Each structure stands twice: as C-alpha cells, then as structure tokens.
Amino acid sequence: MSRVAITGCGVISALGGSAAETWEGLLAGRTGIGPLTLFDASKERTHTAAQITSTDWEQGYSRRERLRLSRGDRLGLHAAAQAFADAGLDAKRPAGARAGLILGGGGSGLLQGEEYLAGILAGRAPRPSSTRGFFMGTTADLIAERFGLGGRVQTIMNACSSSSIAIGLGASLVAGGDQEVVLAGGVETLSRTTYSGFNSLRLVDPDPCRPFDRDRRGMSLGECAALLVLETVEAARARGARIYGEVAAYGMSADAYHVTAPDPEGKGLLRSMRAALAAAQISADDVDHVNAHGTGTEQNDAAETRALKRLFKERARRVPVVSIKGAVGHCLGAAGAIEAFAALMSIVHGRIPATTGLREPGPDCDLDHVRGRAREARLRVVLSNSTAFGGNNGTLVLRALET
C-alpha cells in the first residue's frame, strides 16, 4: 500500500473565499456566524448562521449557467479549481481515467429545489433544466465533467460524517493503486428545509454556538466547500509538489443507538477512533491533537468527551482539543472536510486555533480545550472526528510528512 499525500486544498467558508482566508480567520479567532440573509428565517426560533458572504466564486458564469447551477454546484466547482491550482495540477485533465472524485454531501441541492417549487406554486412555467442541482450527486458529476475526472466518482451520504468518510475512502483508492489522483471532501449549503428542521429539533443556538462550554445551547448551522487533492507520496515527490501531510488512515463505526442522539458514552466514536489508529498502526499515545466534532449541543459534546477520555486514559487532559464550529458553523455533510483542512494546517504551521465562543468548559467537557487564542504546538499526528445523525462516525488520522 502506498502512502497518501495531500498536495492541494480548496476551501470556501463563512470566514473567506479561499483556504488562506479561512485559515487566517481561524487563527485570529474570528467567527463567520452572523445574521442569516440567504432566505427568510423570520418565523424561526433562530436567525443566525455561518453564511458564505464572499462573492468571487459566483463570477464567470453565464445567465444560463446561473439558472442551471445550484449554489452548491458553483461552490464545488470553484473549490475544485482552487484545490487543483494549489496542487499544481492541470485543472482540465489532472489524470483522466485515473483521477477520481469522492464527495461528501447532504442538502446542497435543497435550496434550488425549494426555489423551483416556489416558482411552480407562484404559477411560473417549470424549467426542467433548473432541477438538475436538486439531485445530491449532481455537484460531483459537474466537477468531474469540468475537470475531466474519468475515474471513480461517488457521492457519500452519511449525514455529518460524509466528507470525513469521503476523504478516507479517497485515500484508500490512492493507497491501493486504484486511482492516481483523487479529489475528496465535501460541499454543503444552507437551505430553508435544513434550517427549519434543526430549529424544530431545538438543536440550534440563537447566538453563535459555544462548543464544549458550560452554557452551550446548541449548534450554529453553516455552509462551505472544502476539497483536498490526494495522490501518492511518491508521485507528489516525483513532480516536485508541495506536500502538506499524509492521510495515514481512517475509521468508521455506527452507534446503532438512535436516529438523532449519539450514544451517551461515545462508544461508537471510540470504536471509530480505535479502528483508524489500528489501520494507521499508530498508538493513542502517539496522537498530539484532536480536531473534535464539537457541535455545541449538550449531548454531542459530553459523549465525545467521554469517548476521548476512554481513548487517551491518563493522557486525556494533556491532548489539546479544538472545535472550529464556533468559527465556521456546523457544515453538516461538509463538516469533516473543513475540519480535516484545519487539522492539516495545524500540522503544517504548528498552531492550533482556539475554539471560538468557548469561555468556560462544562464540567462534562473536562479536557485540554484550546481557548482564548491560538496555541503553538509541534504536531506529528492529529485525529479529526466526525459524528452524525443515525450514529454514523468517521475518524481521520492525519500525519506530518515522514521521510
């Protein structure tokens, strides 16, 4: 099995329209959570979200394309172009039939579907071409078409762990020699359906979320596109590419407990972390940092804390833990991808962003939380966790490049 290098990053988030702007925002402790203006949420309990306000990704489309492409499609296409450019690969034909795309997603097409339905109800003639973005696999298909990815193209739908699993699966395809290059990550956009659904479950904080805080009241929904270019370390070195780090392994598990609530003891997440470490042939003692799922909900943060304490045992309060959701919101199907990006940048730059919004950790969240300001740290191995509705867990093991 070959080692898998990460050579390119494309990110658009509520913190900015590029990977660099997003990382700078995380280090500065900024939050992208603010008033929601993408659609009318006046009748909801909450009125905030981590909405993308940058506009560069909107440029360059004809009127016809704008009618056909969903918000998620345009975000995905732009982030893909960023990632290939960052990797120094030909953005039109990176590797042809030996290049693939594994995309995690959730409700990216819902907003366009809602607008289509509103048009019908208003008496406008239906435009079939504008329904294409409603289908969850469309964004991946469009990216593959635009960049000539003729290999394996797949959309993963595992709720909020989708894009972590997408990166793990993409890495396994590269490691096993099935694909030379894989673009992997996730795209998620806000929609009325998603926003109303989480409000109805009373899982959303009216104020910007506070992961692991004693006064936490829920999550803040967000949107982003985050894509990574994966290839073998050997191939990357042969073409002189910059290597950010390696995807050492990934793990998956299911709580098999409840459709929305996590297992209170975090048993499923613990299995996912242990499976990832076993696949990477790494001990829990070798882990230097955890980028946690950390949604800001009462149940999730407590369950994840218990799982981490069981994994690290006596080291539990000495391993730095962070959640970036107070900065970029909970990006659902793309959450794992933007969090993997943040974990990767922490390895590269030796700095761990603080958990935005965290003032005083709750008594059930008694770990070494990075708060207040970014922390300097020499990192070799980082875990990036994702949990999801249905008890779907995913864990990535990211590692500094080893000679």
Side-chain angles (χ1 to χ4, degrees), residues 68-392:
R68 292 187 172 192
L69 299 176
S70 72
R71 183 177 175 87
D73 296 337
R74 299 193 299 277
L75 283 168
L77 288 165
H78 197 81
Q82 284 186 11
F84 283 130
D86 189 43
L89 289 171
D90 183 347
K92 291 188 176 180
R93 289 291 183 273
R98 297 282 290 154
L101 168 65
I102 310 296
L103 191 68
S108 285
L110 287 174
L111 183 64
Q112 189 176 38
E114 291 162 356
E115 292 168 349
Y116 179 78
L117 178 59
I120 293 177
L121 294 176
R124 293 194 293 271
R127 186 188 295 271
S129 61
S130 65
T131 66
R132 183 171 64 168
F134 180 73
F135 300 101
M136 302 307 178
T138 297
T139 301
D141 296 338
L142 289 168
I143 294 172
E145 178 186 342
R146 174 71 59 90
F147 299 103
L149 308 180
R152 182 165 173 177
V153 175
Q154 186 172 350
T155 301
I156 302 293
M157 301 291 293
N158 269 54
C160 303
S161 60
S162 297
S163 54
S164 287
I165 294 168
I167 293 170
L169 178 56
S172 69
L173 292 173
V174 171
D178 296 303
Q179 304 281 261
E180 290 179 12
V181 176
V182 169
L183 184 66
V187 177
E188 184 75 71
T189 62
L190 294 162
S191 71
R192 298 170 183 83
T193 304
T194 302
Y195 199 81
S196 294
F198 277 92
N199 266 276
S200 69
L201 291 169
R202 296 185 174 271
L203 292 175
V204 188
D205 194 330
D207 300 312
C209 68
R210 293 161 284 182
F212 299 112
D213 196 87
R214 65 182 179 185
D215 297 320
R216 64 191 187 273
R217 294 191 293 170
M219 65 181 73
S220 295
L221 293 175
E223 58 181 359
C224 78
L227 295 167
L228 306 179
V229 175
L230 311 177
E231 56 187 306
T232 66
V233 170
E234 294 78 9
R237 283 175 168 165
R239 67 183 186 84
R242 172 191 53 208
I243 298 176
Y244 287 114
E246 302 179 54
V247 181
Y250 77 113
M252 294 173 57
S253 72
D255 286 0
Y257 175 78
H258 190 272
V259 69
T260 57
D263 180 293
E265 299 302 315
K267 295 175 183 176
L269 179 57
L270 179 61
R271 289 195 300 274
S272 177
M273 291 188 289
R274 284 177 172 167
L277 291 171
Q281 298 182 322
I282 290 173
S283 164
D285 291 337
D286 297 321
V287 176
D288 301 310
H289 165 49
V290 176
N291 192 296
H293 189 63
T295 61
T297 63
E298 193 74 29
Q299 291 176 304
N300 176 89
D301 292 4
E304 187 167 13
T305 298
R306 293 181 185 115
L308 290 170
K309 289 169 79 169
R310 286 180 171 84
L311 178 71
F312 294 120
K313 299 177 181 176
E314 67 277 359
R315 289 187 67 232
R317 292 183 177 87
R318 300 197 303 274
V319 179
V321 174
V322 69
S323 167
I324 66 169
K325 288 184 172 65
V328 298
H330 188 355
C331 298
L332 305 178
I338 195 167
E339 287 156 17
F341 161 75
L344 181 67
M345 291 298 103
S346 289
I347 293 173
V348 173
H349 298 287
R351 299 185 71 188
I352 305 172
T355 298
T356 303
L358 173 58
R359 296 187 292 267
E360 185 66 35
D364 52 356
C365 300
D366 53 340
L367 299 173
D368 179 17
H369 296 285
V370 181
R371 53 188 168 127
R373 60 193 300 181
R375 182 187 301 182
E376 303 283 340
R378 187 171 181 272
L379 306 174
R380 189 178 67 87
V381 176
V382 174
L383 293 186
S384 184
N385 278 336
S386 295
T387 65
F389 277 1
N392 293 296

Side-chain angles (χ1 to χ4, degrees), residues 43-64:
K43 295 182 180 179
E44 303 291 349
R45 292 176 55 253
T46 65
H47 310 100
T48 61
Q51 178 181 320
I52 293 171
T53 56
S54 61
T55 58
D56 286 353
W57 56 277
E58 290 275 30
Q59 310 306 312
Y61 295 108
S62 66
R63 182 178 180 278
R64 184 180 182 186

